[in-house]
């Protein structure tokens, strides 16, 4: 085979490979900050420490946080629904796990209501606050659950600042829009987001200063969407 023919075949093979690249590879190249990693988990824990977010130990402490208003209820509506299996590891107290930090609820109402309005997508929330006891139970059958062997490996769900949102069922345009908005909010320093392909969800930690940082969008966007969350 001549050198020229070999070069031609190699070029053809490379072209076919590029054009047949799976959508997943294209997604990962376009949204590198949404990839999960130990560094991302360590960053969530660093931000929790920076904002003095306690990790909730057990159900008794969870009740105290709710009573003190440190956690607020997250209720199904037009834009998003609470997964009926949420809290299934502790069915007697399942309703307690449908709570989050006020800034996280602000994030949900800000972003998901916008997505519902633009694309008609209704989002499914599969996880919110967890206790350390709940996390230990979850790890028994979910190998992807954070093990917390070190301080930097603890799940940020323990703080109540984190939410999981199912990707399945979202429209193609709506999913792209959501990825773009998550990247934008990360750039503004308002959230930390990971797309967990193995769980089919977005794992998102909204920081306590989410509302202030999210306001840094353009004046046009700020006019189109309310700047203040009322809860």
């Amino acid at each position: 085979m001549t050198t020229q023919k070999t070069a031609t075949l190699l070029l053809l093979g490379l072209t076919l490979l590029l054009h047949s690249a799976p959508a997943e590879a294209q997604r990962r190249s376009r949204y590198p900050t949404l990839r999960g990693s130990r560094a991302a988990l360590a960053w969530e824990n660093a931000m929790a420490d920076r904002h003095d977010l306690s990790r909730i130990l057990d159900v008794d402490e969870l009740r105290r946080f709710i009573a003190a208003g440190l956690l607020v209820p997250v209720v199904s509506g037009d834009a998003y629904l609470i997964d009926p299996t949420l809290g299934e590891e502790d069915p007697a107290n399942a309703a307690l796990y449908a709570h989050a930090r006020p800034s996280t609820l602000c994030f949900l109402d800000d972003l998901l209501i916008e997505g519902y309005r633009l694309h008609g997508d209704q989002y499914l929330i599969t996880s919110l606050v967890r206790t350390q006891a709940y996390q230990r139970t979850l790890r028994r059958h979910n190998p992807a659950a954070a093990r917390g062997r070190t301080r930097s490996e603890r799940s940020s769900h323990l703080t109540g600042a984190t939410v999981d949102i199912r990707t399945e069922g979202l429209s193609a345009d709506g999913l792209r829009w959501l990825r773009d908005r998550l990247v934008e909010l990360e750039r503004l320093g308002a959230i930390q987001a990971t797309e967990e392909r193995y769980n089919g969800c977005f794992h998102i930690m909204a920081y306590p200063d989410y509302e202030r940082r999210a306001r840094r969008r353009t004046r046009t966007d700020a006019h189109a969407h309310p700047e203040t969350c009322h809860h």
Side-chain angles (χ1 to χ4, degrees), residues 58-113:
D58 54 26
V59 168
D60 289 340
E61 190 166 42
L62 177 57
R63 288 196 179 97
R64 289 196 293 272
F65 271 58
I66 293 171
L70 298 174
L71 296 171
V72 294
V74 180
V75 182
S76 295
D78 291 336
Y80 56 82
L81 301 173
I82 301 298
D83 190 331
T85 67
L86 188 147
E88 63 182 349
E89 300 296 335
D90 184 12
N93 300 294
L96 298 178
Y97 298 96
H99 286 76
R101 297 278 180 173
S103 55
T104 304
L105 180 58
C106 182
F107 159 78
L108 291 172
D109 285 347
D110 180 26
L111 191 68
L112 301 192
I113 290 176

Side-chain angles (χ1 to χ4, degrees), residues 116-203:
Y116 175 74
R117 178 179 60 83
L118 292 175
H119 301 284
D121 286 332
Q122 190 174 53
Y123 304 89
L124 185 66
I125 295 175
T126 59
S127 186
L128 288 160
V129 67
R130 298 175 193 160
T131 66
Q132 294 181 48
Y134 190 99
Q135 187 75 13
R136 286 194 296 271
T137 302
L138 185 63
R139 283 202 307 265
R140 294 173 185 171
H141 60 81
N142 184 353
R147 303 193 64 80
R149 287 172 291 193
T150 66
R151 288 180 60 84
S152 64
E153 293 178 331
R154 291 175 293 181
S155 171
S156 59
H157 283 283
L158 306 180
T159 68
T162 297
V163 57
D164 289 348
I165 302 171
R166 181 73 54 81
T167 56
E168 183 181 359
L170 299 182
S171 65
D173 288 344
L175 186 56
R176 283 192 296 270
W177 171 87
L178 184 55
R179 287 173 177 145
D180 288 338
R181 288 289 285 114
L182 292 176
V183 169
E184 178 189 12
L185 289 169
E186 280 194 327
R187 178 181 58 80
L188 294 173
I191 67 167
Q192 166 76 23
T194 296
E195 185 169 354
E196 298 181 343
R197 292 171 297 142
Y198 40 85
N199 284 331
C201 71
F202 288 108
H203 166 96

